[in-house]
Amino acid sequence: MQLSLGPVLYNWAPERWRDFYFRIADEAPVDVVSVGEIVCSKRSPFFAEHLPDVIERLQHAGKQVLLGSLILVSLRRERRQIEELCAGEDALVEVNDLTCLKSIKGRPHAIGPFVNIYNETSAAFHVQQGAARICLPPELPISSAAVIAATVPEAVIEMFAFGRVPLAISARCYHARLHKLSKDNCRFVCEQDPDGLALKTLDQQDFLTINGVQTLSHACTNLIGDIGTLREAGIGSLRLSPQDCDMVEVAKIFRDVIDGRRSAEGASGRLSELYPGVSFANGFVRGQPGFSFA
């Protein structure tokens, strides 16, 4: 079973972003790494100068690199960015918006968890278009994932295994609105919350997490206790989504459980120490309310 690292969803300082991936390249036992700004195209220029060095460092370390596309493409310049991304040959493109398919059709690529592949028919369609990897939407139960994996054995089927669940993307920037700013003049205030901004209900109960134009879960998905079941279902890869904690150590813990060097129960306790104050959840994969954990 492979281990992959998804793209950084939050607005981290460029140097921190670069150094994070350098450390992943040098120390993390992951097989595949997805890079690139996929949430907000306005952030892309901050990381552009570091991206070639990051890709080179990861590839030199033996990692397969995926270049992530934007989740929501709505502007003409964003469409041009997608076309340029798909025209490159440095790495596989990870499709996060169907806008990519016209430019990437027939060429090997990956499908990210933001594309709604909920059944075996849609999975087979994307494989026919050239998809070699498919990260399924985080809300899919294992029963559905197993059917998909059995239908398209030629593709690596991946499950979202650690991190706040990306639930929605919007044309409106919630961070800007909170600070009484327009989206076009947001001053990049989302950088103030490197792990997202907690959203509470009127009763002051933790509910969701805001990340600019993106909405994520409040709880952090943790499927480390489900690895055996996922393996039996034919899942070929587990995805870790970068959070504001020691992701190298998180990757090592998942790798140890996958390889049988550590028990899932003890590993989950160690993850709680690495990411304190954050509740875990695995309800979606078990067909239960997403925020539940068992």
Side-chain angles (χ1 to χ4, degrees), residues 21-55:
Y21 281 112
F22 281 0
R23 186 170 177 235
I24 291 296
D26 297 343
E27 303 178 36
V30 296
D31 306 285
V32 181
V33 181
S34 181
V35 299
E37 177 55 52
I38 71 170
V39 175
C40 177
S41 62
K42 290 180 64 178
R43 302 175 184 172
S44 298
F46 294 109
F47 311 106
E49 66 174 302
H50 299 304
L51 188 58
D53 291 337
V54 164
I55 293 173

Side-chain angles (χ1 to χ4, degrees), residues 65-263:
V65 176
L66 306 179
L67 298 178
S69 75
L70 280 172
I71 303 173
L72 178 64
V73 178
S74 58
L75 302 175
R76 185 172 298 174
R77 64 173 173 79
E78 293 173 345
R79 293 198 298 271
R80 289 197 299 267
Q81 289 175 1
I82 291 296
E83 292 171 356
E84 292 171 1
L85 180 71
C86 294
E89 298 181 355
D90 292 336
L92 286 182
V93 171
E94 182 167 80
V95 175
N96 292 313
D97 182 276
L98 295 183
T99 308
C100 283
L101 291 184
K102 179 180 178 180
S103 301
I104 206 74
K105 182 179 179 180
R107 293 173 52 195
H109 58 273
I111 299 290
F114 308 96
V115 176
N116 293 335
I117 297 180
Y118 291 137
N119 55 56
E120 63 274 24
T121 302
S122 57
F125 168 81
H126 283 283
V127 170
Q128 291 170 2
Q129 303 301 305
R133 302 180 62 88
I134 298 176
C135 184
L136 297 175
E139 62 269 25
L140 268 189
I142 189 60
S143 55
S144 298
V147 174
I148 291 173
T151 304
V152 288
E154 63 271 41
V156 177
I157 300 301
E158 184 171 86
M159 292 289 283
F160 190 96
F162 183 86
R164 298 185 192 272
V165 178
L167 299 173
I169 196 80
S170 171
R172 170 178 291 175
C173 179
Y174 301 107
H175 258 96
R177 186 182 184 189
L178 176 67
H179 290 270
K180 296 180 171 52
L181 300 169
S182 68
K183 182 180 178 182
D184 291 337
N185 187 31
C186 66
R187 301 179 190 171
F188 301 98
V189 290
C190 53
E191 67 182 357
Q192 299 175 15
D193 301 293
D195 209 34
L197 177 64
L199 176 66
K200 296 180 181 291
T201 66
L202 293 176
D203 296 327
Q204 296 304 300
Q205 298 295 313
D206 293 325
F207 182 39
L208 297 169
T209 301
I210 294 171
N211 173 39
V213 296
Q214 187 181 45
T215 304
L216 304 103
S217 65
H218 179 267
C220 173
T221 289
N222 175 12
L223 302 189
I224 205 160
D226 301 284
I227 287 177
T229 304
L230 294 168
R231 195 198 308 267
E232 292 175 2
I235 303 304
S237 181
L238 299 181
R239 171 166 294 210
L240 313 178
S241 183
Q243 307 296 314
D244 193 18
C245 63
D246 189 344
M247 290 302 300
V248 169
E249 188 63 23
V250 170
K252 290 179 178 178
I253 291 171
F254 267 85
R255 187 76 262 171
D256 283 348
V257 174
I258 290 172
D259 294 342
R261 293 189 295 267
R262 187 194 290 251
S263 70

